[in-house]
Amino acid sequence: MITSDNILLRLAPQLIDQQRSFAFATVIRAISPTSAYIGAQAIIEADGTLHGWIGGGCAKGLVVTAAQGAIRAGKPKLVRISNDGALADADVESHAMPCASNGTIELFIQPIVPAPLLIVLGATPTAIEACILAKRMGLQVVAAATVTTPLNSIDLLQVIEGFNI
C-alpha cells in the first residue's frame, strides 16, 4: 500500500500518544533493478502492520521482521537486502534478496519505543526524589499516595490519591 509522507507524519504522533511501539524504515540506497527508491518510507508497528512503501512486496517481510527486531532491541539498525556479497559490511544486517529483480535495497530503521512506566508509592522525600530522578531519566512516572500535595508540583503523568491503582 503506497502512503503519502503526510499520512506517516500524522500517524507517528498518534502511535506515540497511544504508547505504541513502532519503527520508521527509510530507504537510503537502491541499486537497480528494484522498485524501491531513496527516501521511500514506511512505519512498521510492533505487530508487523506496515504503513507506507519501501519497495516491492517480496522485500516487505524482511523489512517487517528487521523492524520488529529493532523495536524489541530499542536500537536503530542498517539493513541491506541484496544478493551481492561484495557489499558485506559488519555493522549492517544483511539479508538475501528474495525478488526476481535481484536489485539491492538498504534501509535505516529507527525504532520509537515508549518510555518505561514507573509507579512510585508514597510522598516521602525519598519518593519525591525518586519521581524527579525518574523523570530526568526519561521515564514516565505515576505516583500514588495518601497525601498527594507534595507530588502535584512535579508534573507527573498521573498522581493518584490513595493506593487503589
Side-chain angles (χ1 to χ4, degrees):
M1 170 175 136
I2 296 176
T3 307
S4 77
D5 292 340
N6 289 338
I7 292 173
L8 296 179
L9 291 173
R10 287 193 302 267
L11 177 60
Q14 291 172 4
L15 294 172
I16 291 168
D17 288 345
Q18 296 168 8
Q19 297 294 305
R20 292 169 57 188
S21 298
F22 65 97
F24 277 106
T26 304
V27 176
I28 58 172
R29 187 175 184 196
I31 300 173
S32 294
T34 180
S35 59
Y37 58 90
I38 294 174
Q41 290 188 309
I43 287 178
I44 298 97
E45 297 185 51
D47 68 0
T49 302
L50 184 137
H51 307 271
W53 193 78
I54 41 72
C58 51
K60 176 184 173 185
L62 293 172
V63 173
V64 167
T65 300
Q68 288 174 315
I71 291 167
R72 280 191 300 279
K75 295 181 180 178
K77 65 168 73 176
L78 292 171
V79 175
R80 180 178 296 124
I81 304 171
S82 177
N83 291 326
D84 185 350
L87 295 174
D89 208 344
D91 61 343
V92 177
E93 180 180 306
S94 294
H95 298 275
M97 172 58 84
C99 300
S101 67
N102 212 23
T104 296
I105 305 171
E106 292 182 2
L107 304 108
F108 176 70
I109 298 178
Q110 175 66 56
I112 308 296
V113 180
L117 175 67
L118 175 69
I119 300 175
V120 176
L121 303 177
T124 65
T126 303
I128 292 168
E129 286 302 316
C131 291
I132 293 168
L133 179 60
K135 283 185 51 92
R136 285 184 186 155
M137 293 174 58
L139 301 177
Q140 299 179 75
V141 183
V142 172
T146 53
V147 178
T148 59
T149 305
L151 298 167
N152 290 330
S153 63
I154 305 176
D155 188 34
L156 303 176
L157 184 64
Q158 184 177 7
V159 176
I160 301 168
E161 189 168 341
F163 293 102
N164 296 325
I165 55 173

